[in-house]
Structure formats: C-alpha cells, structure tokens
Amino acid sequence: MIKVLFICHGNICRSPMAEFVLKDMVKKAGIESDFYIESAATSTEEIRSGIGNPVYPPARKKLAEHGITCEGKHARQTIKKDYDKFDYIIAMDRNNLRNMARIYREENGQKIHLLKDFTDNPGDVADPWYTGDFDATWRDVNEGCKGFLEWLGYTFDI
C-alpha cells in the first residue's frame, strides 16, 4: 500500500483538495486499495481546542463542482510520527517544506516532495487563501496528482 500525506499551512484549502482529488483519481482508476491518503497542516492556526476546522467553504465548493466530497474532513497538524507512517509527504509550497523540516527533522529525504514537481511546470501550488482563485489551485492540484500517479508508474487516462 502506498501511503501519501499532503501538506499545506492550515489544512483547509490546498492539502485537502489534493487529498480528495487523489482519492477520486485512484477510485476512478480502480486502484484505491493500493493507496492510503491523508492531508495535514504545518501550523495549528485552523485547530481550536483540539478540533480542526472543516475544509474552507470555497475549497469544498470547488471540489463539489467536480463531483468530489470532502465530508467529515477537519484540519489536523502533522506530527513527527507522520514521517515514519507515510511513504510520500507532498507539500504545496516551499514554505511548507521549511516547516516540515522543522517538524520532521528531515530536509531532503526521499519521502518529501513538492506536488508541482511531478508536473512539467514545477513550483508552488497557487494559494487561494490570498488570491481567492480556486480555479488556479484546482488546476495545479489536478495536474500535480495526475503527475504523481504517472511518476509512480500508473499509465492510464484519468
């Protein structure tokens, strides 16, 4: 089983979008039993009294436009144990990488990647928290998840 953890700052926009997009892709491809997929935050900003906030409404709306539900998802902060639990830890941007290095005490391990590094257009996933452009984030996440699956050797049309 391939265990994947997506990471962003608050775990209410980009990383849950990636979590549920990849879950949708592997389900449609009939390979969902090959994967265990989660998402988490590097910060605690979206976690109040031990309970994480749900996925940000515009992110939920963008997923729903594509027939994807994220019902029940609440923000959680990544912890050092996640480094051992997951095979791939995929960040949405370089700031996440710096924070992950602090949490995991690992900077350039084989497990840690940027999502868009699996595409022909490497870089950071657009952050809709600041831009409000959930379409750009959707495109980046969709392209990155597809590229990740292809990088793993899955060759099919998603």
Side-chain angles (χ1 to χ4, degrees):
M1 178 170 289
I2 299 168
K3 297 175 186 169
V4 182
L5 180 65
F6 291 105
I7 300 286
C8 71
H9 183 76
N11 192 218
I12 62 167
C13 292
R14 294 177 294 168
S15 62
M17 285 178 75
E19 173 186 350
F20 289 97
V21 165
L22 188 62
K23 284 179 176 178
D24 185 63
M25 286 180 175
V26 299
K27 182 177 182 179
K28 287 177 179 172
I31 56 171
E32 66 185 317
S33 63
D34 293 351
F35 288 85
Y36 178 80
I37 305 162
E38 282 190 29
S39 65
T42 58
S43 79
T44 59
E45 290 176 24
E46 296 297 332
I47 302 165
R48 309 282 186 256
S49 302
I51 300 170
N53 289 330
V55 176
Y56 191 52
R60 280 197 316 261
K61 181 180 176 190
K62 181 54 62 182
L63 289 168
E65 286 173 13
H66 297 276
I68 301 171
T69 182
C70 58
E71 188 69 31
K73 173 65 181 174
H74 288 85
R76 78 164 181 93
Q77 185 181 30
T78 189
I79 57 175
K80 184 158 177 48
K81 288 181 182 179
D82 286 335
Y83 188 83
D84 295 326
K85 179 179 179 179
F86 291 91
D87 303 311
Y88 298 96
I89 304 172
I90 303 174
M92 300 297 114
D93 65 42
R94 287 172 184 82
N95 288 333
N96 304 146
L97 290 176
R98 282 192 294 280
N99 291 334
M100 290 160 57
R102 177 182 45 78
I103 294 167
Y104 303 142
R105 307 276 191 259
E106 175 73 30
E107 288 191 39
N108 294 312
Q110 299 296 315
K111 295 181 176 197
I112 296 175
H113 304 271
L114 281 172
L115 181 59
K116 284 194 64 181
D117 283 352
F118 296 107
T119 73
D120 293 333
N121 186 25
D124 294 345
V125 171
D127 191 343
W129 185 257
Y130 300 104
T131 66
D133 188 352
F134 284 84
D135 290 328
T137 305
W138 169 262
R139 286 189 301 271
D140 287 352
V141 165
N142 197 52
E143 181 184 14
C145 287
K146 183 177 181 190
F148 175 62
L149 289 174
E150 290 171 353
W151 182 80
L152 287 174
Y154 291 95
T155 54
F156 45 82
D157 190 29
I158 300 173

